[in-house]
Amino acid sequence: MRRIVAVVLAVFLIGGVAAAVVAGREGQDKGTATKTVRGVIGSEKAEFFSDPDVVKALAAKGYTVETETSGSWAMEGLDLKGYDFAFPGSQAPAEELAKKYGVRQPLPRPFYSPLVVVAHRNAAEVLAANGLATVGKGNGTLKMTAYLKAAQDNKTWQQLKGADRYGELTGTLFVSTTDPTSSNSGALYLAAASYVAAGGRVAADTSAVDETAPLMRKLISVQGAQQTSSDAAFRDFVSGVGNPLVLVYESQVASLLMRGQSVDDLTVLYPDTTANSDHTVVPLTEEGRSLGELLATDKELRKLAVRHGFRPQDASAEFTAATAAHATYLNQKLTGVRQAPVPASKVLHEMARQARG
């Protein structure tokens, strides 16, 4: 009889332990469970979302984020059914997507980045010697009025004094950009260039686009085939291939610097009139909106965004402090840089279409 009781008690004890283990696992699963959200992002944010520290920080807040990359303007042509958010590189394409999918305002804008021109040191010094730029040790200013005049006059590197010392500086002088019909950085380049060419007036309609169209077409056509991704263009520049002047996001440069990569030959030229890339989340579901708001407000995620070179909205001190060791290359306070207003999406589309011919 005692043996039977012992066996019964053992069964109950084993059952109790098993139940406790199951309950513990269920509690653990509940505590660490994450909501999977899917999004389409600009390629310049791919490294941010794949960063293990970002993945960990998002998981701590209950999110697993799966992303695919696309040109910001190309997102309009995608079928985003089944996605939770889109994350283009600026406000204009984001507003178009919001209209298309009936997304309520406001749209979260976690961070931004100004457009810059990366140049090899020799090219930057030749530009400076010919009045097209001012150059310090690692950064400088591209004089947009002078540069656009040179582009209008079909200037070649060989016509610039001092260029004959560098065999790589040959052919037509131009800044390499992405395709403005599909990529945000290329479209914003046209926005800033047209603003300068029009004497400080933002294009408001088709007639205004027509006025600067010949110059915009020249800026694009001289480049030949264009990349659809600023990420690819920047990688080419860093590897030493392609044009000596390339338009990229400041965030790409800052991220490279903070990773400790050698950049001895690099000069970062800030156009004296440029356009900011306001990275804007288009929430397609409530989970997507919650994620966008989290990126904008969470202290750890903002810190990680800065580590990837982005400037958090309304928090310049965070960026300045984090990049203090790289002030040689970065214009931390954007001194002397004017922000060009960006035309309405419809107008910018027409500008890009005409520029591509």
Side-chain angles (χ1 to χ4, degrees):
M1 186 66 178
R2 284 195 297 270
R3 288 178 182 174
I4 295 172
V5 170
V7 170
V8 171
L9 286 172
V11 170
F12 274 112
L13 285 170
I14 292 169
V17 170
V21 170
V22 171
R25 284 177 179 169
E26 288 178 348
Q28 184 182 35
D29 290 345
K30 186 175 181 180
T32 59
T34 59
K35 291 174 275 189
T36 298
V37 293
R38 297 178 64 219
V40 179
I41 63 172
S43 62
E44 70 286 337
K45 293 182 285 290
E47 286 188 0
F48 171 75
F49 279 104
S50 64
D51 183 337
D53 289 335
V54 173
V55 173
K56 182 179 178 181
L58 287 168
K61 296 296 181 178
Y63 291 93
T64 296
V65 180
E66 298 178 353
T67 62
E68 299 171 23
T69 61
S70 167
S72 293
W73 286 101
M75 290 181 192
E76 290 183 29
L78 300 178
D79 179 4
L80 296 180
K81 184 179 180 181
Y83 291 90
D84 297 287
F85 69 98
F87 202 174
S90 71
Q91 196 169 357
E95 293 292 347
E96 286 301 299
L97 286 170
K99 289 178 186 176
K100 180 178 179 179
Y101 291 96
V103 177
R104 65 180 171 86
Q105 297 286 347
L107 305 179
R109 286 189 295 151
F111 40 72
Y112 71 98
S113 184
L115 288 170
V116 299
V117 174
V118 288
H120 296 297
R121 187 68 189 177
N122 292 341
E125 289 178 348
V126 169
L127 292 179
N130 288 270
L132 300 175
T134 58
V135 175
K137 185 177 180 182
N139 75 62
T141 301
L142 179 66
K143 298 180 179 180
M144 283 296 286
T145 298
Y147 165 70
L148 292 178
K149 177 66 167 58
Q152 181 68 60
D153 294 342
N154 301 310
K155 284 280 187 183
T156 65
W157 284 103
Q158 291 94 321
Q159 292 174 303
L160 302 182
K161 62 182 180 182
D164 56 344
R165 288 178 292 171
Y166 311 109
E168 71 275 17
L169 298 182
T170 60
T172 304
L173 171 68
F174 67 89
V175 173
S176 245
T177 74
T178 54
D179 183 347
T181 62
S182 62
S183 173
N184 178 66
S185 58
L188 290 181
Y189 172 70
L190 292 182
S194 66
Y195 180 76
V196 174
R201 289 183 292 111
V202 62
D205 51 34
T206 302
S207 62
V209 171
D210 293 341
E211 289 179 19
T212 60
L215 177 56
M216 299 303 104
R217 192 173 301 117
K218 185 170 288 190
L219 294 176
I220 299 302
S221 63
V222 72
Q223 299 182 45
Q226 291 178 290
Q227 300 270 21
T228 58
S229 159
S230 61
D231 186 50
F234 186 55
R235 285 200 308 268
D236 285 349
F237 176 85
V238 171
S239 66
V241 301
N243 194 48
L245 304 174
V246 181
L247 185 84
V248 300
Y249 295 108
E250 180 198 54
S251 58
Q252 292 167 301
V253 179
S255 176
L256 185 79
L257 292 169
M258 286 189 277
R259 291 199 305 268
Q261 187 162 336
S262 176
V263 290
D264 293 340
D265 187 42
L266 173 71
T267 299
V268 184
L269 298 176
Y270 287 75
D272 55 16
T273 302
T274 190
N276 273 349
S277 178
D278 287 307
H279 297 276
T280 305
V281 176
V282 183
L284 303 172
T285 65
E286 283 307 309
E287 288 80 6
R289 181 171 291 276
S290 296
L291 174 66
E293 292 171 350
L294 184 69
L295 291 171
T297 59
D298 183 76
K299 184 176 180 180
E300 180 63 19
L301 287 168
R302 287 167 66 92
K303 179 181 177 181
L304 290 168
V306 170
R307 192 170 81 183
H308 283 269
F310 299 108
R311 294 174 179 252
Q313 296 286 355
D314 305 317
S316 59
E318 292 180 44
F319 181 85
T320 301
T323 60
H326 310 293
T328 297
Y329 297 97
L330 301 174
N331 183 345
Q332 294 175 298
K333 297 183 179 180
L334 299 179
T335 304
V337 177
R338 182 182 185 184
Q339 295 302 317
V342 178
S345 178
K346 184 178 179 180
V347 175
L348 194 53
H349 266 303
E350 177 61 17
M351 188 179 293
R353 187 191 69 77
Q354 290 200 35
R356 286 289 292 170

